[in-house]
Amino acid sequence: MGFARTCSVALVGVEGVVVEVQADLEPGVATFTLVGLPDKSLTESRDRVRAAVVNSGGTWPSKKLTVGLSPASVPKAGSGFDLAIASAVLGACERIDPRVLADIVMIGELGLDGRVRPVRGVLPAVLAAADAGYEQVVVPECAAAEATLVPGVSVLGVRSLRQLIAILTDEPVPEEEPDEQGRPDPLLAGLRAPGTGAATGMHSAHAAPHDQGHDLADVVGQISARTAVEVAAAGGHHLFLEGPPGAGKTMLAERLPAILPKLTREESLEVTAVHSVAGLLPAGKPLIDIAPYCAPHHSATMQALVGGGPGIARPGAVSLSHRGVLFLDETPEFNSRALDALRQPLEAGHVVIARSAGVVRFPAKFLMVLAANPCPCGRFSQRDTRCECPPSAIRRYQARLSGPLLDRVDLRVEVDTVTRAQLTGRATAESTATVAARVQDARQRAAARLAGTPWRTNSEVPGRELRNRWHTAGGAMDEAERSLERGVLTARGLDRVLRVAWTVADLVGHTRPDATDVALALQLRTGVPRGVPMTIGASA
């Protein structure tokens, strides 16, 4: 009788659970039994592992073989257990010393020829192993760079099961035959494949960090909208842009990620972990260090937006844009139930998805930008009479955005049509670099004020805390409070005006918001002119 054990990791969302893989050999009819709540893809590993072991020069045992995955109560999914199962079987056969395997975590899929293929979620799996106290991890060679992002863990990248056997038995490591010149490495296909259900219907399906070549200086006019974009970036406030087609709504949204501060090390690991689970890590870039940008098409389903899919749920657009920007162009064209499903992650900063296979929690702390036309034809305006839509059609179109959803949006700006004088003029707008520097300074002022609290941006601070711990200048909130009494603002809206006022104060360098800062915040919230300049800093 032979027995051996090693470890692997089961992923539940972006959280990992270390699983002990045990192999037991007993005299009897040659069978291979896999227990421990495996899914279908994991059950199929019996055939993959047998073929990989034989094609790697090993001998498959002609005995009763039982492989157990413990704890048995945790659902296991995917092919990432193949390498651990093969190693445990070889340990039970005494081809590998079982004592060597006991403290190693192994992650990887096996091909029938014994090659080790990459799997999704290597980073969160290695993080879980490190948290559990393991110091040695074996991963596919092409995913080793992702695994080495975790400090304090020794990472061994292998290309085949033959190489792993040789390393663990102190034998000469065989050289793997390289692929034909000019052909892409087929092992990388597992890292580049999009997650099933996560990116369905996305305009930017890869959800990779956005192209930084776009510059704010390209946007002509739109002083109010540019100010709103700057305030949104500085305080993490959600933004609603309404205006006719071609006015620049999409241009502004595309340039927003470039003025956001670079991600911290902790934020980068969070974002990379989500993209790793979804199988959407950019090729050759194991760590995402700039804000992601995700723009799903308006045909996206609820599962594509918030996450889901068959079996273990996969991250949706709200999670793929974690610590970045989620842009919903043509927002009224989205399914109303899908839009209303955004209300919970907007408030909580995470998504909890319950399925029969288990409950999954994904991070979803994003900056949402909504863009919409004012009517079905897009030409409705108080200053333009070209719209021919009947009033009932305009009301139905605008009613597709529910009041509770819009109440969670801090900034609402009307984007006007660009005039001929603006388009042909020589006036130069501020560049992305200039605005990004001002946003960075504002973030630093907010971080210094919020030091020692669980919040990092003004949009995260509860209104109660803002009123009790950080006070505005005397009488600054009078006009906003009168708007509450007249029904122009809700109680939530008043709190959000206060948050935006603090962001405006951080941008202009005030120690606390004054009446002018609150007036600008109120104008950005309601769209009603308050007699204050709609510019900040040098943009004035």
Side-chain angles (χ1 to χ4, degrees), residues 312-327:
I312 299 296
R314 293 198 177 273
V318 297
S319 299
L320 295 174
S321 57
H322 177 60
R323 301 292 182 184
V325 177
L326 174 64
F327 177 47

Side-chain angles (χ1 to χ4, degrees), residues 64-113:
K64 180 182 179 181
L65 172 62
T66 303
V67 174
L69 308 176
S70 178
S73 59
V74 176
K76 290 90 177 175
S79 57
F81 294 87
D82 288 3
L83 194 58
I85 293 173
S87 300
V89 172
L90 291 171
C93 296
E94 298 184 351
R95 176 66 177 88
I96 301 174
D97 187 348
R99 294 172 296 180
V100 176
L101 301 173
D103 296 323
I104 301 178
V105 174
M106 300 189 180
I107 304 163
E109 176 186 329
L110 285 176
L112 300 183
D113 57 355

Side-chain angles (χ1 to χ4, degrees), residues 116-161:
V116 182
R117 301 181 60 87
V119 293
R120 300 173 188 147
V122 169
L123 177 59
V126 177
L127 284 170
D131 291 342
Y134 290 87
E135 299 178 352
Q136 291 183 300
V137 177
V138 178
V139 298
E141 183 183 63
C142 50
E146 181 183 345
T148 54
L149 296 173
V150 182
V153 176
S154 175
V155 177
L156 172 62
V158 294
R159 196 173 182 85
S160 69
L161 181 59

